[in-house]
Amino acid sequence: MYVRSLKTNGAHVTQDTDGDKFRWIMKTGWKGLCPRCGKGHMFKSWLKVADRCEACGLDYRFAAPDDGPAFFSLCIVAFPLAFFVVWIQVKFDPVWWVHLFTSLPVMLLGCLLPLHPIKGWLVASQYVNRAQEAGTGKIWDQLHGRENTKDSSNFDD
């Protein structure tokens, strides 16, 4: 097991990142906790990522989940639910208003509710795996006022 020790505001925070990497991502991401310390909040509103972690000061500017949460929500939830709705229509042939009061709310809730945990999961994955777009290290260094190095990334630890 690989353990990564991070120095945060004078204190050391330890996080398992090899054998427990997946569990750490799931725990912090799905609960909306800081992927570095596991204590601070990742979100300042439902889908708005905070600027910094209030516990350890992690700068969330690296986080760019973009359309990932919507994509996963549609693929994992909406696609199977659409098959279920079509099955109900074919099997029982209900009147249209039955779908209005059953299928529509199930589809809306099924697609909207997972957005928050999926976005948290993606942000935590980006941090733990140190993911960034190829070729953006120099730009991030300029934005953060750092010298450009070969191993440069937009993560602040």
Side-chain angles (χ1 to χ4, degrees), residues 52-119:
R52 292 188 163 286
C53 170
E54 70 269 10
C56 69
L58 175 65
D59 186 354
Y60 286 115
R61 286 187 285 185
F62 71 86
D66 301 326
D67 293 334
F71 171 78
F72 285 112
S73 180
L74 289 173
C75 289
I76 295 169
V77 178
F79 198 61
L81 282 177
F83 280 113
F84 181 69
V85 169
V86 169
W87 177 79
I88 288 175
Q89 180 61 38
V90 170
K91 178 80 173 164
F92 301 107
D93 196 23
V95 293
W96 68 271
W97 57 265
V98 170
H99 286 296
L100 183 65
F101 292 109
T102 58
S103 303
L104 186 63
V106 167
M107 291 289 277
L108 286 174
L109 291 174
C111 290
L112 293 177
L113 291 179
L115 288 178
H116 186 268
I118 291 173
K119 188 167 189 172

Side-chain angles (χ1 to χ4, degrees), residues 13 24 28 32-42 53-56:
V13 177
W24 179 256
T28 59
L33 301 173
C34 174
R36 180 198 283 163
C37 68
K39 294 182 174 91
H41 296 95
M42 186 185 301
C53 170
E54 70 269 10
C56 69

Side-chain angles (χ1 to χ4, degrees), residues 9 11 20 24 35-36 40 47 65 67 81-82 105 113 126 131 133 139 145:
N9 298 333
D20 294 329
W24 179 256
R36 180 198 283 163
L47 287 176
D67 293 334
L81 282 177
L113 291 179
Q126 285 179 324
E133 290 184 44
I139 295 169

